[in-house]
Amino acid sequence: MNTVDFLAYEPHFIDHLAPVWHALDPRIRGRFLTDPDLMKRARDLDIPALGIVAPKPRPRQPGAVFDGTPALVASYGDIKKGRRMGYGPFAFLEHGIAQSYAGDRTARSHASYSGGADRGDVELNLVPNDNARARWREAYPDARTVVVGCPKLDTLPSREPGPGPVVAFSFHFPCSVVPETRPAFGTYLEALEEVARQYTVIGHAHPRYFGMDRRYRRLGIEYVPDFTDVCRRADLYVCDNSSTIYEFASTGRPVLVLNAPSYRRNVDHGLRFWEAADVGIQVDRAKDLLPAIAEALEDDAELQQGREIALDIVYGHRSGAAERAAAEIASWLGQRAEVAA
């Protein structure tokens, strides 16, 4: 029976692939490969991961497709690693809400986002919503693209009993693709200090926003690196640009959406920018942050309704995604076996 290996070289990719690993028929599971430094994260999620030191590069001609061991990945970076290791073809699980930046012509075909370049060896795309499905189908009509939802949602914990309210802040990492991928941390720094004087605040950040632990500590704010711990402890999640906005909202709690001055209202990327931005109160100015937090914590019926509408946009399904993904992977492997026979 054919098997599929899992490749995940950053912690948040492990979080997204882990539920699919557990849902997959053990007979078709191959190896779960990750960086040795991430082995503990894998073990915490009950995955017997095999650590692989940086793979030896393998020559690859532009457009070439390897016909080696199939692999499931959750990022373009891991596709490239997989190629160097001799893997291919690939199944690709979009992590998060599959945010892309197609509203900007300079980023429309960026390889890291939905519908991006250099995916000719991806035969199966597993996506959370219709937005991502449309982009992949337009760019790669021969690949199978299926809306399965987000497997991570079923693993997110509820708020654990404890004193509150606790307000969690998080920021996107400094990414130069478009203005909307840059963090809003500097814009709200002084306001964040004031919030920390009035509320219990914990800090989080995208895993690639290096040094945020030190920045939070300088503000007297506890840094919480694991998003699942944020979910266990926070009553409100405040963030600029991340799929975790919607993941937290999916647990039934309010979120606050931070806009930086550089975010362009006249450029529509979809999802977070701007179709599903009303998942929570949007804050455009630092001086409005404190009153917005107070309003968000009330979480009235109007805010709840807006949250539900946004969640319906970003998630085609809100539960059972791992099982759908596992069934699609099994079907894909079966079809490949029939062709090979």
Side-chain angles (χ1 to χ4, degrees), residues 7-340:
L7 312 180
Y9 285 84
E10 293 188 47
H12 49 306
F13 302 145
I14 296 177
D15 289 350
H16 284 281
L17 291 184
V20 182
W21 170 267
H22 289 296
L24 199 64
D25 185 333
R27 294 174 298 175
I28 61 176
R29 286 184 197 149
R31 302 178 296 171
F32 197 109
L33 308 183
T34 188
D35 189 280
D37 292 339
L38 299 178
M39 291 290 287
K40 181 181 185 301
R41 182 64 186 154
R43 288 195 297 270
D44 287 345
L45 296 172
D46 197 25
I47 295 173
L50 173 64
I52 301 293
V53 182
K56 183 178 180 181
R58 170 177 173 170
R60 179 174 183 268
Q61 297 300 318
V65 176
F66 292 134
D67 189 18
T69 302
L72 175 67
V73 298
S75 74
Y76 176 59
D78 285 344
I79 289 176
K80 292 191 292 183
K81 279 188 174 68
R83 288 169 180 163
R84 292 195 296 269
M85 296 163 69
Y87 280 98
F90 294 92
F92 177 69
L93 175 72
E94 287 272 19
H95 65 278
I97 64 169
Q99 181 68 52
S100 62
Y101 301 94
D104 190 316
R105 62 181 180 82
T106 65
R108 198 164 296 156
S109 298
H110 195 289
S112 294
Y113 305 110
S114 298
D118 194 26
R119 301 295 185 96
D121 47 0
V122 176
E123 296 183 352
L124 175 64
N125 291 298
L126 305 168
V127 302
N129 53 54
D130 289 335
N131 180 293
R133 176 170 60 182
R135 288 192 46 73
W136 285 122
R137 284 185 172 178
E138 179 182 5
Y140 300 93
D142 293 336
R144 178 166 171 75
T145 299
V146 187
V147 175
V148 298
C150 176
K152 184 179 175 185
L153 296 191
D154 285 331
T155 71
L156 296 175
S158 301
R159 170 71 154 94
E160 294 182 350
V166 175
V167 181
F169 278 81
S170 185
F171 296 92
H172 196 265
F173 74 100
C175 177
S176 60
V177 173
V178 293
E180 291 75 28
T181 59
R182 298 178 187 125
F185 179 72
T187 301
Y188 293 95
L189 176 57
E190 290 187 13
L192 175 56
E193 293 181 84
E194 181 59 31
V195 173
R197 284 191 282 268
Q198 300 193 32
Y199 292 93
T200 299
V201 174
I202 57 176
H204 183 67
H206 189 286
R208 293 184 185 175
Y209 201 164
F210 305 115
M212 280 301 288
D213 54 341
R214 297 189 299 273
R215 293 182 179 93
Y216 281 125
R217 279 199 293 270
R218 284 198 291 268
L219 297 171
I221 294 172
E222 179 189 358
Y223 178 62
V224 180
D226 192 332
F227 180 67
T228 56
D229 288 335
V230 172
C231 289
R232 291 187 182 99
R233 298 174 57 184
D235 299 289
L236 172 66
Y237 189 66
V238 185
C239 185
D240 48 9
N241 176 17
S242 172
S243 295
T244 55
I245 295 171
Y246 300 90
E247 291 167 7
F248 190 91
S250 76
T251 69
R253 284 169 283 176
V255 296
L256 207 61
V257 181
L258 300 179
N259 293 321
S262 59
Y263 295 174
R264 299 163 293 176
R265 286 286 188 167
N266 64 336
V267 177
D268 188 352
H269 300 304
L271 304 178
R272 160 67 178 91
F273 303 99
W274 296 93
E275 183 184 12
D278 287 331
V279 65
I281 297 171
Q282 294 189 62
V283 180
D284 297 316
R285 301 176 301 180
K287 69 177 185 178
D288 296 329
L289 181 57
L290 265 173
I293 287 174
E295 182 180 355
L297 285 168
E298 292 292 328
D299 198 28
D300 64 22
E302 184 177 354
L303 288 180
Q304 293 176 32
Q305 182 181 26
R307 182 163 69 237
E308 290 300 309
I309 292 171
L311 289 171
D312 283 343
I313 293 171
V314 301
Y315 299 125
H317 306 278
R318 292 200 223 168
S319 64
E323 290 74 19
R324 287 187 198 89
E328 291 293 339
I329 292 167
S331 175
W332 170 58
L333 291 177
Q335 291 170 1
R336 289 192 56 79
E338 288 179 9
V339 171

